[in-house]
Amino acid sequence: MLTPTLILALLVTTSVAQNDPLAAIAQALNANGLTAFAGLLPTLNQSAVGQRLFRTLLAGGKLSMFVPNNQALSQVPQDVANNADLLSNIVSYHVLQGNFTDPSRTVTSQNLPNVTIGRTLLNDSSFVQLEGNRSQVLVWGKESNGTVRILNQPNNTTVQNVTIFNDLGIYSIDQVLTPPPSFSQALVAGNTASPGLSTDAALALLNNTSIPGPDGNNVSFTNYLDGPTVKGFTFFIPNNAALQAAQPALASLQGNASAVRVLLGNHIINGSTLYSTTLTNSTSASGETLTFFTNSSGTYVSSGNLSTARITATNVLTKNGVVHVIEQVLVNTQENPAAASSAYNQATSTAPQTAAETGPVSSPTSTSAGNNSNTGSTNGASSTFKNALYSVVVIVGNIVGAAFIM
């Protein structure tokens, strides 16, 4: 385990002049009791990732850093603390480009269930595979008592205090942040931490659904989404109650492989990762229009004006996309392959050109960091079907795979 140190950390392998900006940052960390994190800086400097992180810190501009306190870092295994590459990538997930400190000197935060989303500096392909080589995001919100809580974490993680050092916001937190896992791991973790998500039936169904993998051999739908081929997706996954309620409608599709394939594709946006703050009218992987609207009862997604579902949980982050939970199945078996192909091609061609965010991730027309609706059109939506269709879906695995235009 890490032992907190009271010694000012050396930030480079040679001695540091008193006016070295990195030394000043270390002094600021030590002065605010974050001595264990300051003590990690020499290890970070041994990694190319860590050195890039230091260059970013020294380049100027506004940055924000969530810093685990000494107690949190004392729980980090020594083999992780001594692994410069691994440690540097984990620390990169704690640093955001931009100013996230509000005028009252607290962390900029929407009141839950609305959230604030920030783009971190983590973009190593072993940890994140989003479209356009984008870096991974971090999601947080403010509870009714004013506590800022970071979401998608295995342990309850809150901001303890805020310090401003020049243009760097230092936010002390009580846990080390964990980067988003694979699709299947995220759903398992979500169901364990928040039973209300109730997507285990959909996950079980995906585990038993075969589609062609990158090498041509059949793999489960889950393994496909977990793999390296899919880079950027948005999945609107029905919860258990939704699957149960849709059984009569879905039973009528039994034996209709084409209809099942289309229905799956109408739950997925392929090539675009749309968070709750960036939901915009899109084209699904089956080529149908997905539209979003919000009223007093919540935010809804509609598929081709034929089926509508309320979004009950948002921003379940994965290594290569995002999942939103819905309470109805989007029963739409219409398709437009040309529109689907065009939307995917547009998404993949424009993603690398998207400017890096230097503040909360939101749509250009968004008025808040909560759920919103827009009128633009980009890509498309997500999710699943029904226990009665298990055998049918397995049979039509090769067709289901066409829902992703790779």
Side-chain angles (χ1 to χ4, degrees), residues 45-259:
N45 192 58
Q46 298 171 17
S47 163
V49 176
Q51 291 169 3
R52 286 197 300 272
L53 181 60
F54 286 159
R55 286 195 293 271
T56 301
L57 290 172
L58 295 175
K62 297 183 182 300
L63 292 165
S64 300
M65 183 161 54
F66 290 89
V67 180
N69 60 24
N70 291 351
Q71 176 60 32
L73 284 173
S74 71
Q75 305 303 312
V76 176
Q78 198 66 47
D79 59 341
V80 174
N82 292 335
N83 185 326
D85 289 334
L86 175 59
L87 186 64
S88 295
N89 277 303
I90 292 174
V91 170
S92 294
Y93 191 55
H94 291 69
V95 183
L96 293 79
Q97 195 92 44
N99 178 17
F100 289 88
T101 306
D102 66 23
S104 64
R105 293 175 71 88
T106 59
V107 181
T108 301
S109 306
Q110 292 292 312
N111 294 324
L112 293 170
N114 291 334
V115 298
T116 301
I117 301 178
R119 188 78 64 178
T120 74
L121 299 187
L122 176 64
N123 66 357
D124 189 294
S125 61
S126 60
F127 289 88
V128 53
Q129 294 174 351
L130 297 176
E131 66 273 22
N133 196 33
R134 292 177 179 173
S135 298
Q136 189 55 269
V137 302
L138 195 63
V139 182
W140 67 89
K142 186 182 296 183
E143 298 176 332
S144 58
N145 62 3
T147 299
V148 176
R149 180 164 61 92
I150 300 175
L151 308 180
N152 291 289
Q153 292 299 306
N155 300 303
N156 186 45
T157 304
T158 60
V159 176
Q160 304 297 292
N161 56 63
V162 175
T163 299
I164 310 301
F165 177 77
N166 295 332
D167 285 330
L168 175 65
I170 300 174
Y171 315 137
S172 173
I173 55 178
D174 56 1
Q175 302 287 342
V176 176
L177 300 179
T178 301
S182 66
F183 166 77
S184 59
Q185 291 173 328
L187 286 188
V188 170
N191 283 313
T192 301
S194 304
L197 290 179
S198 303
T199 58
D200 50 297
L203 182 58
L205 183 56
L206 295 175
N207 287 338
N208 287 278
T209 300
S210 296
I211 64 174
D215 60 359
N217 295 320
N218 283 348
V219 297
S220 74
F221 202 106
T222 304
N223 286 341
Y224 183 70
L225 289 177
D226 282 347
T229 303
V230 181
K231 296 183 179 180
F233 71 92
T234 307
F235 199 145
F236 296 89
I237 190 164
N239 60 23
N240 294 350
L243 292 178
Q244 183 63 38
Q247 185 171 6
L250 295 173
S252 66
L253 302 181
Q254 195 163 5
N256 188 336
S258 177

Side-chain angles (χ1 to χ4, degrees), residues 265 268-270 280-290 336 339-341 343-344 377-381:
I268 295 167
I269 300 173
N270 189 29
T280 186
N281 295 348
S282 304
T283 301
S284 76
S286 289
E288 287 289 284
T289 299
L290 288 169
N336 185 334
S341 178
Y344 176 75
S377 180
T378 55
N379 225 342

